[in-house]
Structure formats: structure tokens, C-alpha cells
Amino acid sequence: MQVTKDGRDWRIGAAADVSWIAGRTTAGVSITTAIPPVFAAYATTYQVDDSPPPPTSTP
């Protein structure tokens, strides 16, 4: 389904797509809360913050 908003075309899911996702995900904090476990490959990544720490002040 295509929707135009703010001058752009957006592809969004129809009710059947939403139903398919909702029926295959679980409530909670696991990855399957957002991604149905039927997919063979997916990954969760964690971006390491390697920026230097802020300077500390001494009184």
C-alpha cells in the first residue's frame, strides 16, 4: 500500500501485514518482540561508545 504524506510516498503495510506480524511476535523484551522468529537470519547489535569520557572537574 502506498501513502503520500509530507510530499513523499511511503510504503506501509495493510491490515493483513500487521496481523501477520502481530500473530508471530511475543510481548516482552526479547528480539522476537519486534521480529517474528520465522526469519532465518537477523541480528541485534550494540554500538560501543568509544568516545573519550568528558573531563572531570576538581574543586
Side-chain angles (χ1 to χ4, degrees), residues 30-47:
S30 70
I31 189 63
T32 55
T33 300
I35 301 172
V38 298
F39 292 103
Y42 57 84
T44 302
T45 62
Y46 176 76
Q47 180 95 20

Side-chain angles (χ1 to χ4, degrees), residues 6-7 13 26:
D6 300 327
T26 58

